[in-house]
Amino acid sequence: MPNTIKKIGVLTSGGDSPGMNAAIRSVVRTCAFHDIECVGIYRGYQGMIEGDFKEMGPRSVNNIVNKGGTILKSARSKEFMTAEGRLKAHQNLVNAKIDALVVIGGDGSFTGAEVFNNEFGYPVMGIPGTIDNDIFGTSHTLGFDTALNTVVECIDKIRDTASSHNRLFLVEVMGRDAGHIALNAGIGAGAEEILIPEQDLGLERLLESLKRSKASGKSSSIVVIAEGDKIGKSVFELKDYIEENLPEYDIRVSVLGHMQRGGAPSCYDRVLASRLGVKAVESLLEGKSNYMVGILNDKVALTPLENAIKGHSEIDQELLRVSDIMTT
């Protein structure tokens, strides 16, 4: 079947993540390689509704592969959740002669892309960009590796202070619904305990673990907590509970927050973004649509958007076992 796609639009939506710019660069340059046009859509779906488009060529994406965030900006769009908003967005794409769309974002962005495809039969392809690594159909999302490195570096610094003052540090990391960052970074940084939403450790077990650490001669400890962990209403309430039950501990809380989402992407994220961008464009040119481009067993793979949205990204059971052994 002859390729009828002559112009592709690219947008970033939802939370930013390191590697998004590298993916934009990959999409733009792959379009140029195949001699088709590329249009950057600013501020996600809201920009699509407002017609905030800009032609992009190979030189317009110079020197962005190493930058965090997204040059196309990102915005939540309540208007795109309405049929009227999506109709306006579609009309803008048609008027601009944009034939297909690459959406870089998470499950919310993919949900919007799938609805748009179902309503208008419009070709769409998704690239997973979120530091939480909570998208089904890919072992790594853009930004996850960079976030891990940032968290481990921060915990290494915190441990210096913990050791110097014989303190227990509770370090909260991002992960509202998924504990991938906490589990991997906790193992990598040598945390004494790791609390994640997928596993209910329980307050009593945590106290017993801290008692054992103290009895074994440890003068300082690090506990890594995913922000979505259910063990306490907040990391500060958890601090109060431990202090009440283990008054011998001098406890401090460190919430790493949005620093995990920023910074220059790691080499892994830059390469991953480049691979996924190429595959997204070439899949559209092959007539494929309504897929997410991901990485499985180090091979680029396509997953239907519906599966990527509805599927559940499972926590690695082997890593949980490794964590249990390492925190002995």
Side-chain angles (χ1 to χ4, degrees), residues 116-190:
F116 197 70
N117 172 267
N118 291 339
E119 285 183 348
F120 303 104
Y122 196 86
V124 296
M125 197 67 59
I127 294 177
T130 168
I131 68 167
D132 289 340
N133 206 41
D134 58 352
I135 303 292
F136 178 80
T138 186
S139 62
H140 287 72
T141 56
L142 296 183
F144 176 57
D145 184 71
T146 304
L148 284 183
N149 288 319
T150 299
V151 170
V152 169
E153 183 180 352
C154 289
I155 294 174
D156 286 347
K157 292 178 178 3
I158 289 169
R159 188 177 289 281
D160 290 342
T161 294
S163 300
S164 298
H165 294 273
N166 295 340
R167 284 175 178 159
L168 165 62
F169 266 86
L170 305 180
V171 182
E172 184 185 272
V173 302
M174 283 187 165
R176 187 177 66 246
D177 302 309
H180 298 286
I181 292 176
L183 180 58
N184 284 267
I187 293 172

Side-chain angles (χ1 to χ4, degrees), residues 56-268:
M56 300 184 79
R59 302 289 74 80
S60 65
V61 289
N62 278 350
N63 303 320
I64 68 168
V65 71
N66 60 323
K67 298 188 184 306
T70 163
I71 62 167
L72 292 179
K73 310 296 182 185
S74 182
R76 308 286 181 183
S77 177
K78 290 184 178 179
E79 194 176 354
F80 193 76
M81 297 178 186
T82 68
E84 294 79 9
R86 292 190 295 273
L87 181 62
K88 192 184 299 183
H90 181 257
Q91 193 58 55
N92 285 335
L93 293 177
V94 171
N95 291 343
K97 297 183 179 178
I98 298 171
D99 304 309
L101 203 58
V102 175
V103 175
I104 307 168
D107 55 0
S109 305
F110 293 165
T111 299
E114 188 190 28
V115 170
F116 197 70
N117 172 267
N118 291 339
E119 285 183 348
F120 303 104
Y122 196 86
V124 296
M125 197 67 59
I127 294 177
T130 168
I131 68 167
D132 289 340
N133 206 41
D134 58 352
I135 303 292
F136 178 80
T138 186
S139 62
H140 287 72
T141 56
L142 296 183
F144 176 57
D145 184 71
T146 304
L148 284 183
N149 288 319
T150 299
V151 170
V152 169
E153 183 180 352
C154 289
I155 294 174
D156 286 347
K157 292 178 178 3
I158 289 169
R159 188 177 289 281
D160 290 342
T161 294
S163 300
S164 298
H165 294 273
N166 295 340
R167 284 175 178 159
L168 165 62
F169 266 86
L170 305 180
V171 182
E172 184 185 272
V173 302
M174 283 187 165
R176 187 177 66 246
D177 302 309
H180 298 286
I181 292 176
L183 180 58
N184 284 267
I187 293 172
E192 278 65 40
E193 280 295 349
I194 303 167
L195 309 182
I196 59 175
E198 295 88 346
Q199 187 183 48
D200 186 6
L201 180 66
L203 287 168
E204 293 311 310
R205 183 183 152 182
L206 175 60
L207 292 180
E208 285 303 315
S209 173
L210 293 173
K211 286 177 185 176
R212 286 196 306 272
S213 293
K214 200 76 169 177
S216 70
K218 285 187 179 179
S219 59
S220 64
S221 293
I222 301 284
V223 176
V224 176
I225 306 166
E227 62 184 338
D229 182 72
K230 307 301 188 295
I231 199 168
K233 291 183 180 178
S234 77
V235 67
F236 296 99
E237 287 192 9
L238 180 59
K239 170 185 179 290
D240 293 340
Y241 181 83
I242 296 171
E243 284 180 334
E244 287 172 12
N245 289 273
L246 298 174
E248 64 270 27
Y249 270 107
D250 182 13
I251 306 174
R252 295 291 185 273
V253 171
S254 183
V255 178
L256 299 189
H258 282 75
M259 72 171 70
Q260 295 160 84
R261 288 224 311 232
S266 66
C267 179
Y268 182 90

